[in-house]
Amino acid sequence: MESAVQKRTRGMENVTLATPVQYLKGVGPARAAVFDKLGVRTVGDLLEYFPRDWLFAPSPIKISRMRPEEPATIIGLVESIDYQDYRRPPLFEAMVSDDTGVCRIVWFHGGYLRSQIRLGQVIVASGKPTVFKHQLQMTNPKFMVVDEKHTEPDKHFSGGVYPASARLSSRQIKQIVLPLLDHLDALIAEFYDQGFLKETHLIGRKEAFAWIHMPPDEQKLEQAQRRLKYDELFLMQLGLALRRYRAQHYASATPCVLTDEIDSRIRKRFPFLLTDDQNACIVEIAEDMNQTRPMNRLLQGDVGSGKTVVALYAALLAIANKTQTAIMAPTEILASQHFLSIERYLKNSQVRRVLVTGGLTGRKRDELLAQVKRGEMDIVVGTVALLQKDIEFRHLGLVVIDEQHKFGVHQRAELRKDSAPHCLVMTATPIPRTLAMTAFGDLDVSVIKQCPPGRGEVVTRWVDRRNRRRAYDFIRERLKAKKQAYFVYPRISAVEETSKEIAAATDAWTELSERVFPDFNVALLHGRMPSAEKQRIMTGFRRGAIDVLVSTVVVEVGVDVPNATIMVIEAADRFGLAQLHQLRGRIGRGESKSYCLLFAETDSEVARSRLDVVTRTNDGFEIAEQDLRIRGPGELFSARQHGLPDLKIANIVNDFDLLVMARRHAFKMVSDDPVLTQAEHRNIRRALVTKFGDTLGLADIA
Ligand code: ADP
Ligand code: MG
C-alpha cells in the first residue's frame, strides 16, 4: 500500500524548478493562467512566491482540555449557528463540539461568516479561550473549514498566507505548494559550503524554503527569511560583480599617462585652485585612465560642487594622450551649458571642440562629422541621443556622461557596446549608500562633498498665499539691485490639464511681466520651444539682459548663472524631494546670499514633510536618505530598470547589513573564480543564469 506521503507526491520525480506549474496536481490551464498573472510560471517561481504573512497555531487539542487564557486550536462539528444583528456590535455565534465537549465561538461583526460557516461542517479554530457566563468561549478566533476526514488540519491551518487573487485563494495556493515541500531534496541545491553557513549563521537553503512556506515557529521563520534574503542579494551582487569583471576584462581601452607637465598644463586652465575633494577625485580618475581596462566610474557631487571641472580635467588628460572625448548630456540646454563652461576654460587653447545640436544640419553637419571621424575634433559635446546615433570617432578615449538625476544604466551599457573608451558618469543626485551598492553596484564611485569656496548661503522658505505679495515686493527689491530670478512651474500650459489649479508657466509669464514686474524684462522658456529660441533666451539670461526667467522644469538641469540669486518654485508640493533640491542648486552659485521661495498650499502629509526637509537642510546626502525613507526603495530603485532581477523578499534599505555582507562575498567569489567554473560554484552559476537570463551575457559562461 502506498503511504500518504507517497500518494501525495506521486509523479513528482520528474519535476524540476523549470517545470511549468501546469504540470502540478491541481493546476489546469485555467489556474496556470491565473498563476501567470501573479508572475508564477514555473515550479521555481512558485517556490519563490513567498507568503505575505504567517499564522502560528498550536496543535489541535480536545475541547475538554482547553484552559482559560491558554491559546488553543480545536477541531469540531458545527452544531448550531446564529447571527445576532440586533446586538451592538452584531455578532456571529457558532456552537462547536467534539467527542469531549462543546465550545461557544463568537465573531464580532461576523455577518460575512453566514456564507462561510454552515451547520454540519467541521472547522478548525484557533484562539485564546476566555470564561463567559461560567463557560469557555473563543472570541474572534482564526478559523478554517476542513474536510471531516482531514488528518492534518494543523498543517493546513498554520503557516503561510499567500498574496491571493480573486480567482485563487491563499488556501488553494498553499495546497499546491505544500506537496513540493516534500521534494526539496531534489529541487533545491545548496549554494555554500558548511563552513560558510556556520560562520555566517545562515541555515541551509532547503530548510529555508521549507520553513518560509511552513515555519514550525517564529524563530525558524526568521532564519528562513534571513537565508533567502541573503541569497537574493548575493545573486544580485554576483551579477553586478560579473558585469563589472566583463567590462574590465573583455574590452581594452587606451591607457592615458599623466605626467607632471600634463598636470600643470591642465591646471593652468582653471582660474582657481581645485578643492581637496576635486583633487582626490582626479587622482582616482587618472589612476583608472592609466589602465588598459576601461574606467567605469561614477562621479557624484551636489549641483555646483565642481564636477564639470573634474570632467574637463579627465577630457584634457585623454586629449593629451591623443584620443578624443565625447561629453553627453540628457538635454540640449544642458549640453550647450556644458559647452559654454568648457569654452570659458579653454579660451585660446589648441583644443578643438564642437557642440553638436539638433539644429545642425546639411553640409555643415556632414563636414563637422567628417572632421570628428578624421580625428580633427578633440571634444564633441551633445545630447546622448545625438552622439549615440551616427557619430563616428577616429579614436574615442573618454566618454563623459552627465546623467544629472536620471539613472540610465541601460543607456550607458548600450553606448559602450562596440567601443571601449574610459567612461565617467556624473550625477548631481547624491546617491544613498544602498543605491550605490545596487543600482550603481558595478561602478567605482568618486564623491565631491565640499563645495568650492566663495559660495553664498541659500535660504529656503515656504511661502503660503497670504505672504505672496510680500514675497513679490522682496523680489522686486532684489531685481532693482540687479539680481536675477528664476520662476519655475510644473506644467507648460493649464489648458490640457484636468486640474485647473496647476500653475501654468505661460499664464504666469503674462501675469508676471504685465502686472507684477512691469519694469523688468521677464522671459518665458519651456521645453516645446524651438531650440534656437531656447538658446537665445538662455543667452539673454546669462548676459543679464533678462531679469526674470519664467520656465518649466527645463531649467532643472545645469544652468550656471551666479548672478541669479532668487528662485521661486510654484506649486512646490508637486515636486519630489530630489527635484526640489536639484532646482535649488541653480542658485547660490555666486558670493551673495540666495533665496529659494517655495510657493505651496497643501494638506498632504507627504508633501509637507518634503517641504520641511528642503527648508531644513541643504545637505544633498541627507536629502537623498530622507527621500529614500519617505518614498521607500520601491519607487526610487526598480531593479528591472537596472537590468537586475527583481527583489522578492529582500529590501535594500531594511536589509542593509545583509546587502553589505552579500556584496563582499560576491565580489570575493568573482575575483577568485571570475567565470564561476569551479565545481563548487556550479549550483550558484545555474541559479544565476536562471535569474539573469541573457541580460548579463552569462549564457556564454554557463
Ligand atoms: P557642477 O558641475 O558640479 O554642477 P561646476 O563644475 O559647474 O559644478 O562648478 C560650479 C561653479 O563653481 C562654476 O562656476 C565653477 O567655475 C566653479 N568652481 C568649480 N571648482 C571651483 C574651485 N575649486 N574653486 C572655485 N570655483 C570653482
Ligand atoms: Mg555642472
Side-chain angles (χ1 to χ4, degrees):
M1 270 238 327
E2 271 182 323
S3 77
V5 168
Q6 276 168 347
K7 206 172 197 166
R8 190 141 49 85
T9 62
R10 194 174 40 193
M12 290 278 255
E13 306 81 43
N14 301 323
V15 172
T16 70
L17 291 182
T19 305
V21 281
Q22 198 179 327
Y23 184 83
L24 297 176
K25 199 159 160 272
V27 187
R31 274 204 179 156
V34 178
F35 267 125
D36 192 81
K37 287 225 174 63
L38 299 174
V40 175
R41 266 135 233 145
T42 64
V43 167
D45 295 338
L46 187 57
L47 283 173
E48 289 194 355
Y49 194 74
F50 300 124
R52 61 169 168 78
D53 194 14
W54 293 267
L55 295 178
F56 295 96
S59 297
I61 53 168
K62 292 294 183 186
I63 289 175
S64 64
R65 304 289 300 269
M66 289 200 312
R67 297 287 171 265
E69 304 298 329
E70 281 179 23
T73 304
I74 55 169
I75 306 173
L77 181 75
V78 179
E79 302 255 2
S80 73
I81 46 175
D82 188 17
Y83 180 53
Q84 299 164 8
D85 59 356
Y86 53 88
R87 292 197 190 241
R88 286 293 161 262
L91 62 85
F92 184 90
E93 181 195 83
M95 300 300 287
V96 172
S97 72
D98 65 10
D99 53 354
T100 69
V102 181
C103 178
R104 178 176 184 253
I105 304 180
V106 297
W107 287 272
F108 292 112
H109 302 286
Y112 64 98
L113 294 173
R114 281 173 296 178
S115 62
Q116 295 185 24
I117 298 179
R118 297 203 193 87
L119 270 185
Q121 284 175 328
V122 175
I123 67 168
V124 183
S126 187
K128 197 191 270 182
T130 50
V131 181
F132 180 75
K133 289 190 180 159
H134 312 292
Q135 254 194 324
L136 278 181
Q137 90 167 30
M138 270 191 189
T139 307
N140 301 330
K142 303 231 164 95
F143 82 98
M144 195 168 82
V145 177
V146 294
D147 191 330
E148 203 171 341
K149 296 184 288 282
H150 220 298
T151 48
E152 296 172 286
D154 55 330
K155 190 161 183 183
H156 285 266
F157 189 57
S158 291
V161 179
Y162 293 85
S165 85
R167 294 172 54 205
L168 199 57
S169 71
S170 165
R171 180 155 169 251
Q172 289 166 327
I173 294 172
K174 188 188 236 169
Q175 280 173 339
I176 299 162
V177 172
L178 286 188
L180 290 174
L181 302 186
D182 295 323
H183 277 269
L184 294 178
D185 276 340
L187 289 171
I188 302 294
E190 183 53 63
F191 288 170
Y192 321 118
D193 60 52
Q194 283 304 317
F196 180 81
L197 293 179
K198 214 161 165 198
E199 188 184 309
T200 51
H201 305 288
L202 287 169
I203 62 166
R205 189 162 157 84
K206 239 171 283 173
E207 277 166 306
F209 274 100
W211 292 352
I212 196 86
H213 290 286
M214 204 27 114
D217 56 53
E218 302 207 31
Q219 197 199 345
K220 291 196 166 64
L221 170 62
E222 263 169 45
Q223 290 175 319
Q225 286 171 315
R226 184 164 175 272
R227 168 66 202 249
L228 293 171
K229 284 174 175 183
Y230 184 80
D231 285 1
E232 191 168 67
L233 294 167
F234 175 72
L235 289 179
M236 175 214 252
Q237 290 300 322
L238 204 52
L240 288 165
L242 286 166
R243 189 146 92 183
R244 187 183 140 100
Y245 183 88
R246 289 174 62 86
Q248 291 183 339
H249 292 82
Y250 288 64
S252 85
T254 310
C256 296
V257 182
L258 178 62
T259 61
D260 286 348
E261 196 224 317
I262 294 174
D263 178 71
S264 69
R265 214 166 63 207
I266 296 176
R267 284 176 195 271
K268 277 198 197 110
R269 292 269 139 218
F270 305 128
F272 37 67
L273 287 176
L274 298 188
T275 63
D276 292 346
D277 281 0
Q278 283 171 323
N279 280 323
C281 291
I282 284 170
V283 167
E284 291 170 338
I285 289 169
E287 222 165 80
D288 281 3
M289 287 177 65
N290 195 20
Q291 313 290 324
T292 48
R293 68 175 146 75
M295 167 168 75
N296 213 3
R297 187 170 283 278
L298 181 73
L299 175 59
Q300 114 179 44
D302 229 332
V303 200
S305 59
K307 295 183 297 297
T308 307
V309 169
V310 172
L312 183 58
Y313 187 106
L316 295 176
L317 173 58
I319 293 161
N321 283 270
K322 308 258 178 303
T323 64
Q324 295 166 291
T325 295
I327 300 181
M328 302 197 248
T331 66
E332 280 213 351
I333 289 196
L334 185 59
S336 57
Q337 185 65 45
H338 276 306
F339 189 71
L340 279 165
S341 42
I342 289 170
E343 282 295 278
R344 233 189 310 155
Y345 298 117
L346 295 184
K347 222 173 254 167
N348 307 323
S349 94
Q350 311 267 312
V351 175
R352 300 158 294 183
R353 62 261 182 203
V354 63
L355 174 68
V356 179
T357 65
L360 180 67
T361 51
R363 282 259 296 284
K364 226 173 136 195
R365 178 184 166 88
D366 294 343
E367 175 49 29
L368 262 172
L369 297 194
Q371 282 180 307
V372 174
K373 194 174 173 181
R374 288 196 301 265
E376 293 160 14
M377 276 296 163
D378 301 308
I379 299 182
V380 183
V381 184
T383 62
V384 177
L386 276 179
L387 295 199
Q388 218 167 346
K389 220 164 52 187
D390 52 5
I391 297 193
E392 242 181 280
F393 291 84
R394 181 186 160 87
H395 193 165
L396 186 60
L398 172 70
V399 175
V400 176
I401 305 173
D402 188 351
E403 293 204 324
Q404 290 291 328
H405 63 300
K406 293 179 189 67
F407 305 142
V409 174
H410 268 321
Q411 236 171 11
R412 232 163 34 220
E414 230 171 83
L415 180 93
R416 311 193 56 225
K417 213 164 4 192
D418 42 41
S419 58
H422 294 292
C423 182
L424 182 66
V425 180
M426 297 194 280
T427 173
T429 301
I431 295 162
R433 288 180 306 164
T434 44
L435 289 184
M437 288 194 189
T438 51
F440 296 92
D442 55 341
L443 303 183
D444 295 305
V445 181
S446 294
V447 182
I448 305 183
K449 276 214 153 136
Q450 56 181 174
C451 273
R455 291 293 165 83
E457 184 194 355
V458 178
V459 177
T460 303
R461 290 278 178 270
W462 176 359
V463 177
D464 61 18
R465 194 163 283 136
R466 284 168 303 160
N467 290 311
R468 214 169 258 226
R469 187 153 298 281
R470 276 177 51 207
Y472 285 147
D473 292 343
F474 171 77
I475 295 167
R476 203 173 290 115
E477 288 310 309
R478 311 297 311 158
L479 295 176
K480 276 187 195 153
K482 287 277 159 255
K483 296 293 177 199
Q484 292 164 281
Y486 296 101
F487 275 70
V488 183
Y489 292 80
R491 297 281 198 286
I492 297 175
S493 154
V495 182
E496 310 133 52
E497 299 292 339
T498 41
S499 154
K500 280 269 181 329
E501 64 193 276
I502 292 177
T506 312
D507 302 345
W509 170 61
T510 317
E511 165 81 10
L512 291 171
S513 58
E514 288 173 9
R515 278 185 281 284
V516 186
F517 305 119
D519 303 333
F520 298 96
N521 190 357
V522 182
L524 176 67
L525 179 73
H526 63 69
R528 289 196 208 149
M529 285 177 164
S531 86
E533 179 74 0
K534 279 191 266 190
Q535 294 298 342
R536 198 180 58 75
I537 288 169
M538 280 313 302
T539 310
F541 190 63
R542 203 172 298 114
R543 295 216 181 106
I546 292 169
D547 304 296
V548 177
L549 186 68
V550 179
S551 75
T552 55
V553 285
V554 284
V555 291
E556 188 185 328
V557 282
V559 180
D560 192 1
V561 182
N563 191 48
T565 57
I566 293 158
M567 172 171 285
V568 170
I569 303 178
E570 183 70 62
D573 52 301
R574 291 174 190 276
F575 290 92
L577 197 44
Q579 209 178 11
L580 286 172
H581 181 62
Q582 187 92 18
L583 284 166
R584 175 172 61 181
R586 304 287 123 231
I587 55 173
R589 295 192 152 219
E591 293 194 0
S592 9
K593 197 164 170 177
S594 289
Y595 300 87
C596 178
L597 305 177
L598 308 171
F599 284 11
E601 324 287 330
T602 177
D603 293 325
S604 145
E605 268 305 309
V606 174
R608 293 178 84 87
S609 69
R610 281 199 300 255
L611 295 171
D612 279 339
V613 173
V614 273
T615 46
R616 197 178 63 228
T617 178
N618 263 319
D619 178 344
F621 282 92
E622 190 187 331
I623 287 176
E625 295 287 350
Q626 292 292 343
D627 202 19
L628 199 59
R629 200 180 54 76
I630 295 175
R631 292 204 281 172
E635 213 184 301
L636 211 59
F637 171 71
S638 146
R640 285 209 180 276
Q641 205 182 316
H642 299 283
L644 303 170
D646 267 340
L647 294 176
K648 291 174 179 165
I649 186 166
N651 173 310
I652 58 170
V653 176
N654 300 339
D655 303 316
F656 186 71
D657 293 347
L658 285 179
L659 174 62
V660 173
M661 191 167 123
R663 182 171 175 81
R664 200 181 309 132
H665 182 192
F667 277 72
K668 167 96 172 46
M669 186 173 288
V670 170
S671 87
D672 293 346
D673 180 13
V675 280
L676 302 183
T677 43
Q678 287 170 20
E680 72 258 38
H681 296 150
R682 205 186 58 204
N683 294 337
I684 293 174
R685 197 179 60 198
R686 211 174 266 161
L688 261 182
V689 173
T690 312
K691 264 207 183 264
F692 283 80
D694 256 351
T695 58
L696 291 173
L698 279 168
D700 50 317
I701 62 162

